[in-house]
Every structure is written in structure tokens, then in C-alpha cells.
Amino acid sequence: MNVALVKNETGSALSDSFAIARDRLPGTGKVAAAREAAFAAYAQAGLPHRRIEDWKYTDLRALMREVLPLAPAPDAAEFSRAASAAKLHAIEGVRRLVLVDGVFAPKLSELGGLERGLGIRTLREALETGDAALQALLFTPDNANPMVALNSAMMTDGVVIDVADGVVLSQPLQIVHIASGTVPAAMFTRSLLRLGKDAGATLVESYIAADGAKAYQVHDSLIISIGNNSRLDHVRLNEDGRDAFNISSGVVSLGAHAHFNTFGMMSGAGVSRYQATIAFAGEGSRVETNGVNLLNGKQHADTTLFMDHAVPHCDSREIFRAVVDDRAHSVFQGRIIVRPHAQKTDAKMMTRALLLSDDAEADNKPELEIFADDVTCGHGATTGALDESLLFYLRARGLSEKEAQALLIQAFVGEAIESIVNDGLRELAIAAAQRWLEARG
């Protein structure tokens, strides 16, 4: 049964809508109670709006207006289109885990021949078992954020990945989110990755639309736990349909001497927001976050990051690039907090926006909150247009205006893309950027 989350005048969903929808949601007992609490938090707040500081530039009451009905399971035709989309976006040498309209699709996923120390199961299985510790971890995200609370209440499926102590995976993992429905609907997914001590892995997240997919909403979250002396490389590519909404959240915790390298590229969806909280729970850890927005038309993309330095001797680097054309709107909010005991913190953040149109808009909001006295911290933000002298130089050597612009744009975003360690995944990101450049008028 499809269920629309009905709104009252404040944008809150009515509790009777959730009461009908929960018949389709996995988990009973404490899981059901946690869902109830999360939905109550969302219903009280409703859709975020500009009067909430963290949502100042992304007013969902104006941009999204309502939460669509829960997506039904795909029929045979939709599943066939999803299979074609999955094949089209397949990456050689990468283990694929596919979600279609918010439900895990084992027939499209690669579950055989798992490497030693790698465990994969569905979120539905995790919520329906009696593993209280795992279920508690799945409900870790803070319900103070209304969209995280809504995701906690309505999550239907996802993947739970465990990498044992001492295991370094040779094959990257890819979680593929595919929208295939022919009627507007919403998908609620949540995944978990637990990386043991002295372990390593590479994770790719992809968001795509099958041919014929109508306006849809993606409500996704990913919880990551990185053990002591472990490393995770993370690549996130959003190529959703242009009439899609994508609201995704990340919650990352690092142990001691851990390393988290993450890259995200946003070129799809009409409206998107990626919000992530990265917490340093052990000394001597390092985080590198790199991101690129490639926007045109009337796209709106928001990246909001919170770096929580709570322990000493940790480093973080944030590099963000936005290329904005036509009437598109890019938002970057980066907040770094250095808590009183986090001495010897080294944290730096830089965001740059390139405006290709007089109507394009970029809002950059870097923040530092420092409560320790022995730290090295800094941030910066710039916004500008393409250098006319460089354009003239390239045009004078036989390049067309579009070719000259493309060359300068590639150089502009190249620093962030080069942070991807895996050669194949770096080429994948470069190819996505080239597709966006070639599609420009």
C-alpha cells in the first residue's frame, strides 16, 4: 500500500500516515519504538526551512514542499529498466550491491565469492534479527535533524557491511541506488559499514535513474565506523534525474590512527543536500574530504559538513569546488569544531566557486570554532568567473570558446578529483565531469 506523508500548515507529517506505512517497514519491538520516536521528532519539526541556521540556504518547505508516497516494490518492467541502468553504470573490478526503489535487489547484486573477512547482509535482515547492539548502531544518527529523523523512521532497506580486523579488501564495493518507478515516490534507505582494526576498504556510492523514472525523492543515510589503524577510501557520485530530490546524510566515526579519504561529485538531481558529521574518536587520525558541484539549469545542490575534533593530534583537510552555470545555486557549509582537549589539531578548509553565468549563485559558509590553544587551523572561500586572459590565450591558439572553457573548468576541479586514490574510480569521476561539460550548451 502506498502512503503519502500528509502535511499540516507547518509542513509536519501526520502520525496516521506513519501508522499505515509502518506495516511495510522491517523490525519490531525496540526497532518499532525507535521508529516511533524518530517520526515524532520529524512530525514536530516538519520540513526544514530558512529560519533554521543549518538550512538557511536550502529551504525544503519552498523547494520540496512535501514528502512523496513511499515507493512500491518495482514491477517486472521497472526491474528490467533498473537492470539495464545497473549494467550501463557497472564498474569493472568492483563488487556491486544494488538497491532498486529503496529495496535490495539480490539478482542485480554480486554476493558470491566474498573475500575472507567480508560480511554483507541487508538492512532488513539486520532490523529483523535480535542483534540489539547492531540495531542500536543503526539508529545512531541524531533525531534533532528532521530529515535524519524521517529517514530513521521510514528506512526500508540498505546494506550492512562488516570488514574484519586485519582484512584489507582488494576489491572495491559499490552501493548503487536506482530509481525506476513511473509514478512519483520516495525511497528511504540506510546502510552501515563497520571497518575493524588494521583493515582497509574502498566504497563507492552511486545514485542513478533508470529510463522512464519519474520525479522521485531519495532519502538516504550511511553510517561508517572506522577502527584503529584502518583506512577507508570513499567515492560518492550523484547522477540522479534532473527532476529528483536527493537528501542524504553521513555519520562517520574514526578510531585512533585511522584514515578517511572521501570524494563526492554532484552533477544530477534538481535539488540535493549532502550532510555529513565526521567525528574523531581516537588520536592520530586524518580525514581528507574533497567535493565538486557541477550545476546548470535551475539545479540546487547543498553540501554541509561538520568536522568534530574531540581528541588530540588529528588532521583534517577540506577542499570543495563548485562550477555553477545558468540559474543554478551551489551551497557549501563547512564547520570545524576543535574541542578543549583536542590539542595539536591541524585543520584546514578551502572552498572555491566558479560562476559561468550572471544568474548563477554560490553561497560558501566556512566556520571555525576553536576551544583549544595549541592548534593550526584555517579556512578560506573565493568566488569568481573564468579568467578572460586565459580564455583569450586558449582561443588565440585555435580552441573554440566552449573547448577553452572546458579546459579551464577541468583544471579548476582537478585538484579535488586527484584526491581519489583508485585509478579506475578517478577515471570514473573524470568521465562524469566530461559528460557534464559535453552536455553544456
Side-chain angles (χ1 to χ4, degrees), residues 56-58 63 270 293 295-302 324-331 359-363:
K56 177 180 179 180
Y57 302 107
T58 304
L63 293 168
N293 277 353
L295 309 175
N296 56 23
K298 296 182 179 179
Q299 285 181 285
H300 177 104
D302 178 341
V324 195
D325 203 356
D326 303 323
R327 299 180 63 186
H329 184 191
S330 175
V331 177
D359 295 320
E361 181 179 353
D363 290 300

Side-chain angles (χ1 to χ4, degrees), residues 169-183:
L169 298 182
S170 61
Q171 184 180 34
L173 307 173
Q174 181 190 24
I175 302 175
V176 187
H177 300 261
I178 304 177
S180 70
T182 55
V183 296

Side-chain angles (χ1 to χ4, degrees), residues 23 60 75-76 101 112 118 155 204 246 283-284 292 341 370 423 429:
D23 292 338
L60 290 189
D75 59 25
D101 296 337
L118 171 62
M155 56 181 171
V204 186
N246 186 307
E283 295 187 26
V292 173
H341 297 294
I370 302 173
D423 292 340

Side-chain angles (χ1 to χ4, degrees), residues 86-374:
K87 185 176 181 180
L88 183 64
H89 288 79
I91 309 172
E92 185 176 355
V94 173
R95 181 180 296 276
R96 191 172 61 200
L97 306 169
V98 180
L99 298 162
V100 178
D101 296 337
V103 178
F104 186 75
K107 292 183 179 180
L108 300 182
S109 302
E110 300 170 1
L111 298 174
L114 296 183
E115 295 183 52
R116 180 189 62 82
L118 171 62
I120 298 175
R121 51 180 157 164
T122 68
L123 175 79
R124 178 173 290 273
E125 291 171 342
L127 292 177
E128 290 178 344
T129 64
D131 190 336
L134 175 58
Q135 291 171 356
L137 187 58
L138 286 166
F139 281 93
T140 293
D142 187 358
N143 287 338
N145 184 313
M147 300 312 291
V148 174
L150 179 63
N151 183 266
S152 294
M154 299 293 290
M155 56 181 171
T156 54
D157 215 343
V159 294
V160 176
I161 303 169
D162 286 293
V163 181
D165 294 348
V167 173
V168 178
L169 298 182
S170 61
Q171 184 180 34
L173 307 173
Q174 181 190 24
I175 302 175
V176 187
H177 300 261
I178 304 177
S180 70
T182 55
V183 296
M187 291 152 274
F188 297 87
T189 52
R190 177 165 292 181
S191 295
L192 169 68
L193 170 61
R194 293 188 291 188
L195 203 58
K197 299 177 182 179
D198 304 301
T202 298
L203 177 68
V204 186
E205 293 182 275
S206 300
Y207 299 85
I208 58 177
D211 288 341
K214 298 300 181 183
Y216 60 91
Q217 294 174 357
V218 175
H219 301 271
D220 180 50
S221 61
L222 174 64
I223 302 170
I224 296 174
S225 175
I226 304 175
N228 296 345
N229 303 302
S230 295
R231 174 175 178 136
L232 176 65
D233 290 283
H234 176 229
V235 177
R236 190 174 183 277
L237 302 175
N238 186 312
E239 297 184 87
D240 272 316
R242 283 302 184 93
D243 55 356
F245 287 76
N246 186 307
I247 310 298
S248 298
S249 304
V251 178
V252 183
S253 176
L254 288 89
H257 305 286
H259 190 174
F260 180 47
N261 182 307
T262 179
F263 170 86
M265 177 180 288
M266 172 62 66
S267 60
V271 175
S272 65
R273 175 177 166 111
Y274 176 61
Q275 51 190 15
T277 298
I278 302 173
F280 292 85
E283 295 187 26
S285 293
R286 180 177 178 85
V287 170
E288 297 160 337
T289 63
N290 298 270
V292 173
N293 277 353
L294 298 174
L295 309 175
N296 56 23
K298 296 182 179 179
Q299 285 181 285
H300 177 104
D302 178 341
T303 298
T304 296
L305 303 177
F306 173 36
M307 202 76 65
D308 189 356
H309 284 269
V311 294
H313 301 282
C314 290
D315 299 346
S316 66
R317 296 291 184 271
E318 296 178 56
I319 296 175
F320 188 81
R321 300 287 184 268
V323 182
V324 195
D325 203 356
D326 303 323
R327 299 180 63 186
H329 184 191
S330 175
V331 177
F332 174 79
Q333 299 182 111
R335 181 184 171 204
I336 297 173
I337 184 169
V338 182
R339 300 191 184 276
H341 297 294
Q343 304 292 351
K344 302 296 183 180
T345 290
D346 185 349
K348 295 180 176 63
M349 168 173 44
M350 186 67 195
T351 173
R352 292 191 172 101
L354 184 61
L355 304 183
L356 305 180
S357 163
D358 292 339
D359 295 320
E361 181 179 353
D363 290 300
N364 297 317
K365 185 185 174 188
E367 298 178 80
L368 282 175
E369 295 184 41
I370 302 173
F371 300 97
D373 54 13
D374 187 4

